[in-house]
Amino acid sequence: MPELPEVETTRRGIAPHLEGRTVTSLLVRDRRLRWPIPEDLAIQIEDQIFTAVRRRAKYLLLDIGGGTLISHLGMSGNLRLVPVNTPVLKHEHVDIELDSGMALRYTDPRRFGAMLWSTDPLAHPLLANLGPEPLTDAFDGNRLYQCSRGRSMAVKPFIMDNAVVVGVGNIYATEALFAAGIDPRREAGRVSRARYQRLAEEIKRILAYAIERGGTTLRDFTGGDGKPGYFQQELFAYGRGGQMCKICGTSLSETRLGQRSSVFCRICQR
DNA sequence: CGCGACTCCTGCCGGC
DNA sequence: TGCCGGCAGGAGTCGC
């Protein structure tokens, strides 16, 4: 479910319900996420006020009290607001109850996500070495070009490397490479500056569009307020292996790069 | 250091 | 219908 647009959509959905609100109670039903939810989290956030809801890469940063609750949604995670005492279903691991009568509920079937505490989140080991945000001026074709010199890996896993640029997951990497006409198997160090310029533009365009549309609706994603989403119909390559290319009609090829399925058009992408 | 493989976990889908 | 293998939107970690 969550790539950067989904995380940003979640942030926008939950922020107005959290900022200025006091946490009345933290209910942890299962601490076993990627790392255990810290035992002292309740002490840190109960009776404290949320002051801001930020995002860095795919991490949500919930500022409260003397620090920040860092949350990651992993592959299957989800944060949403529910009325306090809403019946709890399987995999709904955490409720953060608010003085508004609502609770921020964390759900994550695969438990690849995280919920951590830090007094200096941007310096946290998980965040300290992240590359630039894709929708800022710090990210552009020159950045891709400079980072890629001498790199032998394929361009697709290269743009999915969080040290190069954050927030480009499998769906958007696949779509951006299709839009830029670049073969995902091409060696990162052998893509020209001009083509990286184009690729950076496509990454920005597609991510911005997906955020505008409220995230990807692959299965049942709904943001904090459940708006429609980036429809599966609009995808050109992701999930379309063996189907017809919408540009040239060729059957789309599928391979694996960095253990991730990768779909591309061998005619349109070179 | 760069790179690829492996790993965590549950759910779901297709094939037999 | 039921079982089994493979795959899924992420990304840290390990070994070479």
Side-chain angles (χ1 to χ4, degrees):
Chain A
M1 180 191 308
E3 289 219 26
L4 186 137
E6 290 78 1
V7 178
E8 177 61 19
T9 299
T10 298
R11 188 193 69 77
R12 294 179 185 185
I14 66 178
H17 297 273
L18 298 187
E19 289 167 4
R21 288 295 174 186
T22 300
V23 171
T24 53
S25 179
L26 171 68
L27 302 174
V28 179
R29 289 177 285 271
D30 192 343
R31 303 195 172 273
R32 299 173 304 160
L33 300 184
R34 175 135 200 198
W35 299 276
I37 297 174
E39 298 280 351
D40 70 346
L41 187 58
I43 294 169
Q44 302 295 345
I45 72 172
E46 283 180 354
D47 302 319
Q48 303 293 321
I49 299 173
F50 281 112
T51 54
V53 180
R54 299 180 286 156
R55 179 186 59 73
R56 174 73 173 106
K58 292 172 187 164
Y59 294 92
L60 285 165
L61 307 179
L62 314 185
D63 294 332
I64 179 168
T68 301
L69 176 58
I70 302 174
S71 182
H72 195 292
L73 303 177
M75 292 268 263
S76 57
N78 165 277
L79 272 173
R80 70 189 205 283
L81 283 138
V82 297
V84 165
N85 295 327
T86 297
V88 176
L89 305 176
K90 206 174 174 184
H91 307 308
E92 297 186 332
H93 307 311
V94 180
D95 278 355
I96 300 174
E97 296 186 345
L98 308 170
D99 61 349
S100 59
M102 300 294 280
L104 184 66
R105 177 164 289 181
Y106 179 84
T107 307
D108 187 1
R110 292 174 75 176
R111 292 191 274 113
F112 285 177
M115 202 165 273
L116 301 167
W117 177 255
S118 171
T119 54
D120 189 2
L122 299 182
H124 189 283
L126 292 172
L127 284 81
N129 298 314
L130 294 172
E133 288 290 324
L135 296 177
T136 63
D137 291 342
F139 171 67
D140 61 12
N142 289 331
R143 162 88 188 167
L144 290 179
Y145 183 75
Q146 295 297 341
C147 287
S148 64
R149 292 311 90 182
R151 302 288 296 269
S152 62
M153 73 195 304
V155 63
K156 179 165 175 274
F158 170 72
I159 61 171
M160 293 175 69
D161 179 351
N162 282 330
V164 173
V165 58
V166 302
V168 182
N170 202 28
I171 297 176
Y172 298 106
T174 298
E175 291 298 303
L177 286 162
F178 180 90
I182 298 171
D183 188 323
R185 302 168 298 178
R186 180 175 285 273
E187 217 177 288
R190 295 191 180 172
V191 174
S192 71
R193 182 187 290 273
R195 302 190 82 205
Y196 270 131
Q197 211 74 49
R198 174 74 189 282
L199 180 56
E201 286 166 14
E202 296 295 352
I203 288 171
K204 286 173 187 275
R205 181 182 66 76
I206 290 169
L207 288 177
Y209 177 72
I211 290 169
E212 187 190 318
R213 293 297 302 270
T216 302
T217 303
L218 267 190
R219 291 206 168 78
D220 54 359
F221 178 78
T222 52
D225 291 333
K227 289 194 177 173
Y230 186 120
F231 295 104
Q232 197 158 12
Q233 250 97 314
E234 302 183 59
L235 297 170
F236 281 87
Y238 181 83
R240 301 193 66 243
Q243 296 178 47
M244 183 180 86
C245 173
K246 293 179 180 179
I247 305 300
C248 75
T250 303
S251 174
L252 293 172
S253 304
E254 184 157 13
T255 184
R256 291 188 81 77
L257 294 169
Q259 293 76 241
R260 312 303 295 276
S261 112
S262 304
V263 178
F264 63 100
C265 175
R266 64 185 188 281
I267 304 302
C268 298
Q269 294 172 261
R270 302 285 183 164

